[in-house]
Amino acid sequence: MKATKEGLRWTLRAETEVAHQRLDDFISQVDIATRHGLSCYLLGNAGAHRALQPFDDAFAGHIDRRLTVLAADAREIGLALPAAGPALAPLDWDEAVGYRYVLAGSAMGSRLLARRHGRATDPDVRRAHRFVGDDALMALWRDVQLELDALPDHGPQAMAAVRGANACFTLFSRCFERAFADLTAAVNVSA
């Protein structure tokens, strides 16, 4: 892997900074050590992963595996996950690289979230640790870094990867916003 801040990985990082920060800001507001916060986190991820499920072959089976882990955690806290996510247009190969960059790169943020989740006092929430503690993404992240190192950092192929990464960040942001709105509405109705 390249040791310098050159290459497609760094182009993606620079060109997706705004969309990435918007998603990180939203997730940082959700306390996943609580039942409500973890529900929001799981629902948002489930919506985005369901949207990506038809393209699981572009993710080396990680979408289906992560949905299985999500479902197990949802059962721990009595949460029903959506059967479908937003419809996506078919991914072309160059854009799929950007989607993989986002999904695999989430392994870094998951480490921080796992520490936050570890503060949970609710035993059901503590048992729902599989998704946030998913180490399998690290292997995908290593593969994606090698893939990015082999691709050009500018030109049409690179810009397609940037479009895909920005679209993926936006997908996750929309799904988290929807999950938060749905949970807030449910709490307000039951209050």
Side-chain angles (χ1 to χ4, degrees):
M1 285 178 267
K2 295 180 183 175
T4 62
K5 293 186 177 186
E6 298 175 357
L8 184 53
R9 177 179 171 198
W10 300 103
T11 299
L12 284 163
R13 186 175 186 170
E15 296 294 326
T16 63
E17 185 176 8
V18 171
H20 189 172
Q21 190 61 53
R22 184 173 45 241
L23 177 59
D24 281 355
D25 289 347
F26 188 82
I27 292 174
S28 69
Q29 296 175 30
V30 177
D31 183 359
I32 66 169
T34 67
R35 187 176 293 263
H36 183 268
L38 183 60
S39 294
C40 181
Y41 181 72
L42 294 176
L43 285 171
N45 270 293
H49 282 77
R50 290 270 187 235
L52 293 171
Q53 191 173 23
F55 314 106
D56 192 40
D57 58 329
F59 298 94
H62 283 278
I63 300 297
D64 283 342
R65 184 188 53 73
R66 286 179 61 79
L67 281 166
T68 299
V69 173
L70 271 164
D73 284 350
R75 282 190 300 275
E76 294 289 355
I77 59 173
L79 179 67
L81 294 178
L88 296 180
L91 304 181
D92 74 18
W93 184 87
D94 292 336
E95 288 183 358
V97 171
Y99 278 84
R100 282 191 294 280
Y101 164 79
V102 172
L103 183 70
S106 70
M108 304 300 139
S110 291
R111 290 178 174 183
L112 172 63
L113 291 173
R115 286 193 298 274
R116 289 181 188 168
H117 179 264
R119 296 190 307 251
T121 57
D122 179 324
D124 294 337
V125 171
R126 287 188 66 79
R127 280 192 304 274
H129 62 85
R130 295 165 197 86
F131 185 78
V132 74
D134 182 12
D135 287 334
L137 277 186
M138 288 307 294
L140 181 61
W141 178 236
R142 286 187 294 275
D143 292 344
V144 167
Q145 288 180 78
L146 292 171
E147 178 181 20
L148 295 176
D149 286 346
L151 296 171
D153 61 350
H154 61 281
Q157 191 176 20
M159 290 304 97
V162 168
R163 280 192 309 278
N166 275 316
C168 192
F169 279 124
T170 299
L171 167 67
F172 274 87
S173 290
R174 282 189 0 240
C175 289
F176 278 111
E177 289 165 4
R178 178 62 189 240
F180 185 78
D182 289 351
L183 284 172
T184 300
V187 168
N188 289 338
V189 167
S190 65

